[in-house]
Amino acid sequence: MGYFSKKTMVDCKICNRKTGQIISFGKMPIANSFKSKIVEEKVLLSNLSLAFCPFCLMVQLEETVASEILYSRDYPFISSTSNVMANHFEKMAQEIIRKIYGKKKPFVVELGCNDGILLKHIAVKKINHLGIEPAGNVARLAEKNNVKVLCEFFNKKTAMQIVKKHGKADVIAGANVISHIENLNSVFEGLKILLKKNGYFIFEDPYLYDILEKSSFDQIYDEHIYYFSGLSIMNLALKYGFQLVNMKHQNVHGGSMRYYLQKSEIRNPKSEIKRWVDKEKKMRLDKIDGYLGFKNRVDKTCFVLKQTLFKIKKSNKRIVGYGATSKSTTLLNYLKIGPEIIDYIVDITPTKIDKYTPGTNISIKSRDFFIADNPAYVLLLAWNHKKEIFQKEKKYRQKGGKFILYFPKILIE
Ligand code: DWN
């Protein structure tokens, strides 16, 4: 505990004991609060900083924004904007279907189903299902995909309502949603009620190991409250009478981990868990010193990236961004980069086009605009979709257009 200064110690959201700060970025606007017009004043700012709990090993935000502010309004991120992600979730749906094979009248629930990217594959097989999605605009998109949706936050009360109406679930899934829920106590209370005795709770989120290995600090923003590892999920599961029974690494969102939980009375953990947890221990994710070099590595990346962008600008070449991601709110605000460096950001999401980025006021333009404009350089803000975007923008690159990449190191390709 000697590493922690008293000033930066806050209580762990999971075990209530003292955490220690890993990194702080200062004030940040809400990551997904794209604006219809330029906003000079800084609104709804939270302090963005990350802490590690040396007791339950959970890495977490110190200050959080209320979920009602983040998700009750129209949510701008639409899952099906990536073909790679669409394939990824089709495969995940197939895995879920294999898990329920042979069951009588199986029931699958997804927490945070967004536009139904996963559940539509369950719905098409006429399998009983329900998506729980608090953001009305994306819930309506899921319904258009023939997915049954309950437009609510998931907690103990919702779980009881679902059981009353539909019975208990064989599989409860969640992709990029569990790390977004501050009150995991209410989630696990709900899971206990909703999940069948031998059912599976399967969820995936960006993997802490990958974030530290790549120093991909832009994964840190208000929506990502927790940064999971096998070590922290094992402890979390135990606290609520569950057991981690498998882990499978996923090559999406810069490196994610899919966790498989079952109620504790079911005991069949796979050897994969030991392999991952050993790797995590080797990186010292269970000790504060595993996190000590992170800030320096992040600041070094930022310094070199800023120098690179300034150098290009000085040579009178234009730079645009690609992908108005949530991640880019952290990157651009921390680097203090606005329209003086990045002319605009190209994005295919209709809910983002013609809006402005939070805190930095960079305009967002359609892909048609980008193709016609043909700028010299593109900063790949959606770096996790590199393969798909490079494939899509083959012609731009063939004509001499260059992409600037920054994780795991700065490269111009
Ligand atoms: O956890 C979360 C992840 C899964 O998704 C959420 N908190 C919100 C969101 O985070 P993000 O905005 O950082 O996610 P992406 O998937 O990196 O965003 C990609 C952006 O780039 C989207 O706005 C769509 C856009 N895009 C594009 O314009 N052309 C993406 C692709 C693949 C493309 O070809």
Side-chain angles (χ1 to χ4, degrees):
M1 291 297 292
Y3 287 113
F4 301 152
S5 77
K6 273 212 178 101
K7 222 169 77 186
T8 58
M9 283 165 107
V10 298
D11 290 343
C12 173
K13 296 180 211 324
I14 306 295
C15 70
N16 291 324
R17 286 181 281 185
K18 294 290 173 205
T19 63
Q21 195 179 81
I22 298 170
I23 193 165
S24 169
F25 297 96
K27 295 268 185 203
M28 285 282 165
I30 288 181
N32 265 313
S33 60
F34 298 96
K35 311 285 180 213
S36 315
K37 53 183 192 332
I38 290 178
V39 181
E40 294 300 347
E41 75 278 19
K42 306 271 179 200
V43 277
L44 286 172
L45 293 169
S46 69
N47 255 317
L48 187 67
S49 60
L50 211 59
F52 166 70
C53 174
F55 303 100
C56 72
L57 313 182
M58 187 64 82
V59 171
Q60 55 199 276
L61 288 187
E62 290 189 315
E63 195 173 298
T64 57
V65 179
S67 50
E68 287 74 15
I69 291 179
L70 298 179
Y71 311 111
S72 294
R73 61 188 169 90
D74 280 357
Y75 188 58
F77 177 74
I78 316 282
S79 297
S80 298
T81 43
S82 156
N83 295 331
V84 169
M85 291 313 295
N87 287 337
H88 172 79
F89 286 117
E90 183 173 359
K91 283 197 193 117
M92 186 173 178
Q94 285 159 0
E95 189 185 357
I96 292 173
I97 292 169
R98 283 195 298 276
K99 286 250 182 287
I100 56 175
Y101 181 77
K103 301 232 182 234
K104 226 173 141 189
K105 283 198 184 159
F107 179 37
V108 177
V109 173
E110 189 190 3
L111 313 183
C113 68
N114 199 283
D115 62 357
I117 191 167
L118 170 87
L119 277 186
K120 69 178 183 186
H121 301 289
I122 305 283
V124 84
K125 298 267 183 211
K126 307 259 179 284
I127 295 166
N128 197 14
H129 66 275
L130 189 67
I132 321 291
E133 176 52 68
N137 67 318
V138 286
R140 283 189 291 277
L141 291 178
E143 280 169 345
K144 280 194 186 144
N145 280 323
N146 297 321
V147 169
K148 286 183 210 135
V149 187
L150 176 67
C151 193
E152 290 280 357
F153 284 101
F154 180 75
N155 50 37
K156 192 175 170 179
K157 201 171 138 210
T158 348
M160 288 197 294
Q161 280 168 12
I162 301 169
V163 173
K164 211 167 157 197
K165 201 162 167 199
H166 305 268
K168 292 197 177 212
D170 295 272
V171 173
I172 302 177
N176 303 301
V177 63
I178 305 306
S179 63
H180 294 55
I181 308 176
E182 179 162 14
N183 189 352
L184 288 180
N185 182 43
S186 74
V187 170
F188 275 88
E189 289 302 329
L191 290 172
K192 269 196 222 166
I193 293 166
L194 183 57
L195 194 65
K196 280 187 187 162
K197 189 179 166 189
N198 58 355
Y200 279 93
F201 172 41
I202 306 174
F203 67 99
E204 65 185 47
D205 279 288
Y207 187 33
L208 179 64
Y209 187 99
D210 285 296
I211 296 175
L212 286 182
E213 193 182 44
K214 299 186 180 74
S215 300
S216 47
F217 69 93
D218 60 352
Q219 295 279 15
I220 305 165
Y221 54 89
D222 47 22
E223 291 183 8
H224 289 171
I225 294 171
Y226 299 105
Y227 301 79
F228 297 140
S229 59
L231 287 157
S232 62
I233 290 301
M234 265 183 180
N235 288 333
L236 182 70
L238 270 180
K239 180 171 174 183
Y240 292 102
F242 283 79
Q243 194 179 16
L244 177 63
V245 294
N246 205 356
M247 287 169 79
K248 288 187 192 169
H249 191 263
Q250 307 295 318
N251 208 9
V252 294
H253 286 303
S256 296
M257 185 56 82
R258 186 175 294 166
Y259 305 93
Y260 300 73
L261 266 56
Q262 289 198 282
K263 289 188 171 168
S264 290
E265 53 261 46
I266 310 290
R267 292 192 177 271
N268 57 348
K270 295 273 189 297
S271 56
E272 275 299 275
I273 298 174
K274 185 176 166 5
R275 194 168 72 80
W276 283 109
V277 164
D278 283 351
K279 267 182 86 156
E280 291 173 7
K281 283 187 178 161
K282 210 166 163 199
M283 203 189 237
R284 298 189 66 75
L285 298 188
D286 54 341
K287 302 277 183 302
I288 185 64
D289 56 84
Y291 302 89
L292 292 180
F294 185 51
K295 180 154 176 30
N296 279 345
R297 295 198 300 276
V298 167
D299 285 343
K300 201 171 152 198
T301 303
C302 290
F303 178 78
V304 182
L305 179 58
K306 223 170 161 173
Q307 297 276 70
T308 309
L309 297 174
F310 281 8
K311 212 166 134 194
I312 294 171
K313 267 318 251 195
K314 257 194 160 169
S315 68
N316 283 326
K317 295 274 193 313
R318 288 193 308 119
I319 311 170
V320 306
Y322 203 115
T325 58
S326 329
K327 296 182 285 291
S328 65
T329 299
T330 297
L331 182 96
L332 298 169
N333 281 281
Y334 190 51
L335 259 72
K336 295 196 170 54
I337 283 178
E340 69 295 343
I341 302 286
I342 308 287
D343 285 13
Y344 59 88
I345 297 175
V346 50
D347 200 293
I348 57 168
T349 318
T351 43
K352 294 181 185 176
I353 295 169
D354 292 333
K355 295 212 169 133
Y356 294 88
T357 55
T360 44
N361 288 317
I362 304 172
S363 67
I364 301 166
K365 302 281 187 206
S366 68
R367 181 162 177 266
D368 286 349
F369 185 95
F370 162 72
I371 300 292
D373 184 40
N374 198 35
Y377 286 89
V378 174
L379 179 65
L380 188 57
L381 299 164
W383 54 270
N384 43 313
H385 299 292
K386 177 186 166 190
K387 213 168 152 195
E388 183 171 354
I389 291 171
F390 269 33
Q391 180 66 31
K392 203 181 270 178
E393 306 308 346
K394 219 160 143 183
K395 274 200 186 141
Y396 166 75
R397 293 182 70 225
Q398 276 165 356
K399 281 192 290 178
K402 299 265 184 247
F403 275 87
I404 307 163
L405 309 161
Y406 42 92
F407 293 135
K409 62 178 185 180
I410 288 145
L411 278 177
I412 299 184
E413 277 184 18

